[in-house]
Amino acid sequence: MIWVRTPFVSGKGDPVRQPIEFDHRHHVADDGIDCRYCHDLVERSRYAGVPPTSRCLNCHNQIWNDSPLLATVWTRYFRDQPIPWVRVHRLPDFVYFDHSIHVNKGVGCESCHGRVDRMARVYQIAPLSMSWCLDCHRSPERHLRPPDAITAMGWTPPRPQEEFGRALKTLYGVREITHCSACHR
Amino acid sequence: MTGNRQPFEHSAVDDAGRVTRRDFLRVLGAGAAVAGLGACVEPPRERILPYTARPPEITPGIATFYATTMILGGFGTGLVVKSREGRPTKVEGNPHHPASLGAAGVFEQASVLELYDPDRVRIPRPREGVGGWDAFARDFALLPASGGTEQGRGLHFLMEPTASPLTNSLIERMRTLHPAVGFTFYSPLAFTGAMEGARHAFGRPLQPVYDLSRAAIIVSLDADVLDADPFCLRYARQFADGRRLRSRRDAMNRLYVAESAFSTTGGMADHRLPLRAGDVADLAKALLAATATPEEIRPAMPLLSQPTPDGPMASWVRAAAADLRAARGQSVIIAGAQQPAVVHAIANALNAILGNIGTTVRFIEPLLPTESPEHALATLAAAIDAGAVDKLVILGGNPSGTAPADLRFGERIRSVRSSAYLGLHHNETALDCKWVLPALHYLESWGDARAYDGTASFVQPLIRPLYDGRSVDEVLAVCGGWPTTNAHALVRELWSTQPDFTVLWARSLERGVIENTASPPVSAALDWAGVLPVLAAEHQRAARDSIEVTFRLDPKVLDGRFANNPWLQELPHPITKLTWGNAAQLGPDTAKRLGIETGDEVSIAFGGGRISIPAIVVPGHAEMSITLPLGYGRSGEERTARDVGVNVYPLRTRNAPYILSDARVRGVKPGSREPLAITQGHFTMQGRMIAREATLAAYRADPRTIAPAHEPAPSLYKPAVKSGEQWAMTIDLSVCTGCSACVIACQAENNIPVVGREGVLKRREMHWLRVDRYYTGAAGTARVISQPMACQHCEKAPCEYVCPVNATVHSPDGLNEMVYNRCVGTRFCSNNCPYKVRRFNWFDYGSGIPEVLWMQRNPDVTVRERGVMEKCTYCVQRIRRAGIQAATERRALRDGEVVTACQQACPTRAITFGSLDDPESEVSRSRRQERSYEVLGELGTEPRTRYLARIFNPSPDLTV
Amino acid sequence: MTSSPAHRIDTPIVLDTDDDDAQLTDRLLAPLRSKSKVWYALLALSGAGMLLFVATSVYTFVGGIGLWGNNIPVAWAFAITDFVWWIGIGHAGTFISAFLLLLQQDWRASVNRIAEAMTLIAVFNAALFPVLHLGRPWFAYWLLPYPATMAVWPQFKSALPWDFAAILTYFTVSFLFWYTGLVPDFATVRDRAGSRGRRMIYGIFALGWRGSAEHWQHYRIVYGLLAGLATPLVISVHSVVSMDFAITQLPGWHSTIFPPYFVAGALFSGFAMVLTLLLPVRRVFHLEEIVTARHIDAIAKMLLAMSWMLIYSYVCELFIAWYTGDPYERYIFLQARPLGPWAWLYWAMISANVLAPQLLWWRSVRLSPLALFALSLVIQFGMWMERFIIIAGSLSRDFLPSSWADYRPTWVDLGLLFGSIGLFLFAFLLFLRFVPFIPIAEMKELRREIRGTA
């Protein structure tokens, strides 16, 4: 019972090595690129969307286009081979998590993914256990934000989160959804 | 949206049936892996493989829909096909298309599995020598350059009749360029009796199109219009609309059916007369005599025999005649496709006399060849014997397997110097031909089609060809040696002559029909001169004391073309509930006479052919008549189809393709084969009020009799918490024909596994939705009532409180949820389910199937692991998707926004689904009907699925 | 057990020997030293059975429940029948020792340990089936209420979590009761042991028993308390088991008479099993003077009484089924069972459980070991069929005729049943060889009570 709660099982806090040393710190913090530029499906689809290789080259055909770090990107692009990114946040196949509804109802990226803008290699900040999901589903107000702050990192609520969250909760009509078929189908 | 969907030349699936890595990934898109229940082990970190450049029309995680057309029996049915990350996963009907009206039958539903069939032909290959399309072209293509009318002598095409404008234009082009090239059209699905009948009645062959919605009285002379007809989806819908009761006062049409085998149409009859197929002609004559006034039929009078005054036949005729006379212009007489011309002639005559032409029936120019396919094939056989054919190209169909036995067509194909077969499977014909060419599935190919009423529509692909295949049109073009051989170009070329083509093209692809292309009705005036000779002529009929044998297209595999489709093999036959095979259907008395019962065998001999086939006794089957379903006992190299059931083609000959009057029949007891895999062992309701029915008169007199209100049962538990929508379903037994389209739709939507013959024999079929069939009435006048039965989503669900681990629980919106990943498999829930609709994964059905079949799976539904329970979820994945959609748009769900798979497929709209929290929703209103009742409601389960008792409408002057 | 010798003279004898304590002890320890060929033969035979059980279990675990004959509607069949059957058998033991101890039935002394051992083994056997029967046995622990990362609890309305608990408790208490009773005898074995090894081993099990007055005092208290604790369990376990069926609404299961009915049935089969085991043991080890005709006669009478409790339940069920007028109930009780496809099973069951026991009215039958042995086997067979008819029979004919289906066991089903019998005998034989199966201390005590001499 204790063992399954340790990071050894949950995979929490274990920086994942990617085929390309993509540094979120640089892209998010330094360049200030919005999450949705690359993860563009997050508002429409179940999947946040791992960007197609072409997305990288939108910028990188202009800047750093001869950087050796990008060699793989170029070769893979021209061979029409996908880049084998490594999944960081893995949910079991019987869990149907939908990004769009969470984002549209005011749950910020940071709430589940943490300060990605401070991660060289991205890692899991949460155990992703069912009870962890339920904590928020039972009292969502603790994690709600206004639409413009969804992708913000290190955002702090103007008023105490409890009451501010409760206000947003009524505003968006956020419900405490804890029935099974919400996630398991 | 489809510009970049050209057929490609290379294959996405390798010979072992594995999807080659890159294409599978392309197809799957970003991480949309097929869901599986990997609960117990922690796998290594998995990879995400995004697109290198994402196609504009694909959004991973979001389904897209395309309109296309499926051609069956030469006629098209418009469909809307769901695609996830570039994989077609589900077929739905196209509301704009006249042959569909939004519905999709079992074949359309199952066709998506056919696309991914691991047994499909993959590469063009000759028996010996080098393969490939170029090699084929070198052997077969003509050289238009070195023209001459002699060019192409000896080249002969054998193909299925089709109404496709493109195919026919290519044939015409070939004929004009090379008059010497021969064409033969054969298909067991093509019937010419109707057009024959029209020639007799009106002087020229015509094709009847019915409008059942305007018919108050419908008389079917051995015609299964609701299930076995190119227009059956439309007819079923029209029939249902004329029958649907919203209140007690609504009017209801009346259906008379005379038939030998129990058909779906017969099951819906208000008056069904079991009658040998060979005697239908006599019935028709009697009906003509009894219906029309003497002056209307003066010329025919001497030729018409009056029926014997007593007996069921006479009373049936009397009642039908009375109703027909009373409903001039609002009645229709329909002759069965496999009936001889005389029956059609009489039906036409009656329709003309009653003034139905122009109201309930109209005639159009024939869309298919009018020559009988059997005789066409016989001519070809003669030509082959004469050595006039040295290159035979067979485009589709399976003549070796389905040709009349006396033609011994397989041997003849082998005797041709060079022969090629274009098809999906290595069937009997493929084995007889020198060349085998992979055909494109309609979901992979471009083309066009005509519906039964002439309405044209395009066939557009949803996926790049899985294998190196070509469509019929493309092969014709290749053989013609023409520059353009690409179907996409060909079809555009053909239609580009139309005014503002670009608009038409885009619009038609979007809507799935090409507007105003239905054939115009032509005038048809009755001319006795043609009718009298056929009336006079003696028609084929078995002697009173000898047993007639009739052949039927099987409602599951037709002539055998769907025999390799596991969904259809495992689909219970609408009447006999037989799966995985066929059996000789016969009536109880005939069985007694032969000294056999269900499971024993009958041995039938005719001409050179002799077969021995298991018998199945069907109450209500005409006595002294045996029905043999075609399409089983296949001997091709198709793993699923091979040796399932008994091949009855050996008895079917050129001159008696459907009714065999002089076969030698004897009973064999006990049967040598293993038991029949039947999914329902008990056919009576034991006097329990399960599937309820009443006559219209009785219902009007006192509606409470069929659905007596019962006290709500007391309960110890406090009622479940309710919030948001309250989902519920209503099934109208008055219009449910039992066609089982819903069963296949459910299977396709919910990743339901197939358990095979052994599984069914062990009573382990997995269908979430089954169609129960009960016999009512006496053996002689037996009627059937079909009752779709799935999870009833009880508000006080017995399954919920017995599950020790809370794996089945209630949601606030009224769903009985089944949580696979929590289930430990005690099966306690099934024991306590009064409806026995829960299914258990006895083995790991999900895995161990060829990878290519994974592509069909619905990524929104978990694939269940071994040892867990499963059941109908009211398509919860559709409910949640719609809910999320509405929530993100900050609005409430609209009534009718959530449609379950079964509801969507249903041709008669028998299923209503919606929320009870809106008192004006369809489903709420349906529950307020007096005939709405709960099955086993007295147990206090408070099911959310309710049934509308079946009301039928017998003639007051006939006792049922 | 204080009653004057005078009063004893006319009561039937429960101990018929003139041995003194030493001789009695030797005689009772003899089996532990015996090198009987019969024992080895039987051990091999039952060992084979045990291996069959292991094989079929592993096969099921790997291959899935599909290897059995179960289907929908008959989702429960052989395995659950075996489970209920074994649990039932596992009842007489504790009943005899605890119940009769409280009722101060001195005749229990010489048979109770065999009965208790039988109980333990049977319950252990029984407990294996429900787990094996799960679709996903590796998640069996989900039936326990523990703080899971899923934050989901068991469904306490269901009978199964309670079943789980009840069986566990029953096994634990029965084991403690049995072991406590053994402690003084282990000490005896230790003291009489020839080899050092035996002395060591039995010494450990004897927990340093020296037989001081203080020991005996504590012993009596603990033994009495455990008896008091075990007695209600005899009733509760099978009542809970019967709930697995009674709480459903399936015709044939949905019945309020089930708890007492099942307990009666359990004791019935339990006593039958006691006879099955006791009679051969008595014969083989020549214990006629210790397990006297009086014992056999008493058990036989118990059987007869139980059979009438059972008959009463049968009649009640049928009457209620008819009296409610519920069509489904009526169908299952008045048609499906007596006339349906398994009618022959039903009538075989009736003759085994209702008719056969009536032979026990005759004293000659009660005193004929052979007849009793045969009868005990017949009864156990009948009780197995009763459970099968209730479980599979009811499932195969429920509410909607469309879903009716019959059931046919596979070889795996049969393998598990016969394998479990092998496992049972295997364990029992080991018990006979290594544990004093007649309570030595109690016998000596009894002897003194009867003789009244020191």
Side-chain angles (χ1 to χ4, degrees), chain B residues 106-115 117 425 441 556-557 560-571 580 638 640-641 744 747 754:
Chain B
V106 289
F107 304 121
E108 292 80 8
Q109 293 285 352
S111 64
V112 67
L113 193 63
E114 187 180 44
L115 166 68
D117 186 339
H425 295 109
H441 191 270
K556 294 156 51 187
V557 305
R561 68 186 59 209
F562 290 112
N564 206 51
N565 190 316
W567 287 352
L568 291 171
Q569 282 284 6
E570 193 151 306
L571 176 70
W580 293 100
E638 297 141 291
T640 308
I744 300 290
Q747 191 154 25
V754 171

Side-chain angles (χ1 to χ4, degrees), chain C residues 314 318 333-356 381-382 385-386 389:
Chain C
Y314 290 172
L318 289 170
F333 281 102
L334 308 178
Q335 285 188 47
R337 282 183 191 176
L339 310 170
W342 289 336
W344 62 275
L345 256 177
Y346 180 78
W347 293 113
M349 185 265 284
I350 292 292
S351 19
N353 297 354
V354 175
L355 306 180
F381 182 54
M385 281 188 296
E386 180 202 284
I389 288 164

Side-chain angles (χ1 to χ4, degrees), chain A residues 9-12 14 16-19 38 40-41 43-47 49-55 76-77 79-96 98 100-101 103-106 124 130 147 171-172 175 179-185, chain B residues 22 25-26 30-39 41-54 59-62 84-85 723-725 806 809-813 815 817-821 858-863 876-877 880-881 883-885 887-888 890:
Chain A
V9 177
S10 65
K12 187 171 158 184
D14 158 25
V16 177
R17 192 167 198 291
Q18 297 290 359
C38 300
D40 61 329
L41 303 178
E43 288 167 313
R44 291 180 290 142
S45 167
R46 262 176 65 189
Y47 309 109
V50 175
T53 316
S54 56
R55 191 71 46 85
R76 292 237 162 206
Y77 179 76
R79 293 204 196 122
D80 191 14
Q81 289 170 339
I83 298 171
W85 298 104
V86 181
R87 185 182 290 283
V88 178
H89 295 83
R90 179 180 182 282
L91 296 178
D93 291 340
F94 49 76
V95 176
Y96 287 85
D98 188 306
S100 66
I101 187 65
V103 169
N104 282 291
K105 290 280 183 175
Q124 207 176 304
M130 181 164 157
L171 181 64
Y172 303 152
R175 293 171 295 157
H179 56 270
C180 309
S181 63
C183 313
H184 305 303
R185 293 157 206 165
Chain B
R22 168 159 158 270
L25 300 169
R26 255 180 161 288
V34 175
L37 252 175
V41 288
E42 184 58 39
R45 294 230 176 239
E46 60 188 46
R47 300 282 176 160
I48 307 176
L49 298 125
Y51 292 91
T52 46
R54 187 189 300 148
T59 310
I62 298 199
R84 272 296 294 269
E85 290 85 35
S723 75
E725 288 77 16
N806 269 319
V809 289
H810 224 71
S811 76
D813 53 359
L815 300 177
E817 300 172 317
M818 180 67 224
V819 193
Y820 313 119
N821 44 304
N858 181 353
D860 294 336
V861 177
T862 307
V863 173
V876 65
Q877 67 279 10
R880 297 292 170 240
R881 154 99 346 243
I884 288 170
Q885 196 59 39
T888 49
R890 305 233 189 289

Side-chain angles (χ1 to χ4, degrees), chain B residues 501-512:
Chain B
F501 164 71
T502 42
V503 181
L504 172 135
W505 175 256
R507 182 163 172 68
S508 308
L509 284 177
E510 195 191 326
R511 283 178 66 79

Side-chain angles (χ1 to χ4, degrees), chain B residues 703-725:
Chain B
R704 287 265 147 259
T705 51
I706 37 171
H710 62 82
E711 297 300 311
S715 169
L716 289 174
Y717 300 124
K718 51 182 184 318
V721 196
K722 295 180 184 176
S723 75
E725 288 77 16

